[in-house]
Amino acid sequence: MRYAAIDIGSNAVRLLIADIIGQKDQYNFKKNTLLRVPLRLGDDAFIQQEISPRKAESLIKTMKAFRELMDVYQVEDYMACATSAMRDAKNGPDIVAEIKKNGINIDIIEGAKEAEIIYNSHWDNKMEKDKVYLYIDVGGGSTELSLFANGVLVNSRSFNLGTIRILDNQDKTETWDELKEWVRSNTHMYKQVIGIGTGGNINKLARLSDEKVDKPLSYAKLKAVYEHLASFSLKERIILLGLNEDRADVIIPASEIFLTIMKHGRLKQIIVPRVGLVDGVIRTLINRNLVK
C-alpha cells in the first residue's frame, strides 16, 4: 500500500509518496517519490500577514498537481499539514477552503503538533533510554524544540524564529532571548545533551560536512561548515558551491539558529537522521491505520 504526506512550509511545499512495508505491527516505509516546490509562502505571511493572490494561486495549482499524482500512484491515505506561514496568514483558512474543493484537506497545525509529528518520524526508537536528547527542527517560520530524558518527553516549545523570518528581518530580539533562555533552563541540569537535528538545512549542512547518515556532527564541524559558507556571497554559493537558489540564502540563518541552540545548551554534537515533517506524517498514518 501507499501513503502520502504533504508539508506546506514557509519556504517550500513537499509531497512524499511512500510504500508501506512490514506486517503485524512491525511496519516501516520506503520513500517512493519526493517532490519539493519552493513557493516561499513566508515572504508574504511574515511581512504582510497574508498570502498574496499570486502565491495563493501557485499553492492551489500545486495542490491540484499533488492530488493528481496521488491518484496516479493509487495512494490509499494521506495527510496534509500547513505550518508557520499559513498559521500567520489571515487568509490561510480561506485558501485551505479553496483547496478543499480540489480534493485535498489541509490541517493548519500549531507548533506543538508540528514538533510531535517530527519526532514521530520513528527516530525515537533509536534513542538510548539513559541519555538526554534535544530535538531541533528549524523551518522557514519557526523552530521546534523537544527535550527527551530517559525516553520520555520532558518539555517542548515552538518559537517564531525561522530562516525566512530572519531573511525578511521579521525576527525579534526578544524571541532570540526567549530561545536562549529556554534552552539554558531546560538543559543546564544534565551533564550531556545530544542534539537531533531535522529539516532541509541541517540535512544539507551534514552532507556538506561529508559526515555519514546518523553519524554525529560536532559543534566545531558545524561551525566550520557555516564559516566556509558565509565566506561566499549568495551568488557564489549558487554558482561555485552548487547550492539551489532557494537553499543558498536560508542555509546561513539556519546555521546560526542551530549553532545558537548548541552553544546555549552545551551540545557538543548533533545527530542528523535526515528526516523531516513528511517522514513523521507517514509514520503517523501507519500508527493510525495499521498499528493496533
Side-chain angles (χ1 to χ4, degrees), residues 8-273:
I8 302 172
S10 303
N11 187 31
V13 177
R14 295 174 180 83
L15 168 67
L16 170 62
I17 296 175
D19 296 326
I20 311 304
I21 53 179
Q23 59 184 348
K24 294 183 179 179
D25 295 345
Q26 296 295 321
Y27 292 97
N28 211 329
F29 64 92
K30 180 180 179 181
K31 295 181 181 182
N32 183 307
T33 301
L34 178 62
L35 294 175
R36 179 178 181 276
V37 184
L39 293 185
R40 288 261 165 124
L41 299 178
D43 281 338
D44 289 349
F46 304 142
I47 298 176
Q48 306 297 333
Q49 281 72 59
E50 66 177 17
I51 306 298
S52 67
R54 181 178 64 83
K55 289 202 174 180
E57 182 182 1
S58 294
L59 178 59
I60 292 168
K61 288 180 178 179
T62 301
M63 291 301 105
K64 285 181 180 178
F66 284 3
R67 177 70 268 178
E68 296 288 345
L69 280 170
M70 287 193 295
D71 290 343
V72 169
Y73 277 90
Q74 298 180 330
V75 168
E76 294 187 25
D77 198 8
Y78 76 94
M79 177 186 279
C81 297
T83 56
S84 188
M86 292 288 277
R87 285 198 296 264
D88 281 19
K90 297 174 184 176
N91 59 342
D94 293 333
I95 296 172
V96 167
E98 186 64 29
I99 291 171
K100 188 175 182 180
K101 296 176 184 178
N102 296 298
I104 291 184
N105 294 312
I106 297 171
D107 292 323
I108 300 178
I109 59 174
E110 295 300 319
K113 182 64 176 178
E114 184 177 354
E116 179 185 335
I117 292 173
I118 289 166
Y119 64 69
N120 195 29
S121 59
H122 215 43
W123 180 256
D124 55 327
N125 285 355
K126 299 180 182 179
M127 289 192 296
E128 297 180 44
K129 301 302 181 184
D130 60 340
K131 294 184 178 180
V132 180
Y133 297 90
L134 180 63
Y135 267 84
I136 309 165
D137 183 78
V138 175
S142 63
T143 294
E144 273 65 50
L145 300 178
S146 301
L147 185 73
F148 287 82
N150 300 317
V152 177
L153 176 63
V154 176
N155 204 349
S156 183
R157 176 82 181 270
S158 177
F159 296 88
N160 283 336
L161 190 66
T163 59
I164 303 297
R165 281 191 201 270
I166 294 172
L167 289 177
D168 291 340
N169 296 313
Q170 298 301 306
D171 56 317
K172 299 178 180 179
T173 301
E174 51 264 40
T175 308
W176 279 102
D177 291 341
E178 289 172 8
L179 174 77
K180 295 171 186 176
E181 177 56 31
W182 189 94
V183 172
R184 284 194 296 263
S185 64
N186 281 277
T187 60
H188 75 90
M189 68 287 290
Y190 302 109
K191 184 177 181 181
Q192 183 183 33
V193 179
I194 300 171
I196 299 178
T198 59
N201 287 298
I202 193 66
N203 292 346
K204 187 64 177 179
L205 287 162
R207 290 188 183 96
L208 291 171
S209 73
D210 294 327
E211 294 290 6
K212 295 180 180 179
V213 176
D214 296 349
K215 185 176 180 181
L217 180 62
S218 70
Y219 176 86
K221 190 70 173 285
L222 179 58
K223 187 175 182 182
V225 173
Y226 161 68
E227 290 175 348
H228 175 69
L229 290 170
S231 69
F232 293 88
S233 68
L234 173 61
K235 187 176 181 179
E236 289 172 336
R237 289 196 291 273
I238 296 169
I239 296 174
L240 300 180
L241 300 183
L243 295 181
N244 290 337
E245 186 175 345
D246 64 297
R247 179 70 67 202
D249 54 356
V250 295
I251 201 166
I252 297 299
S255 302
E256 292 167 352
I257 295 173
F258 276 106
L259 288 169
T260 297
I261 293 168
M262 293 182 74
K263 177 181 177 181
H264 289 273
R266 297 171 293 114
L267 277 63
K268 295 181 180 179
Q269 58 187 24
I270 184 168
I271 297 169
V272 186

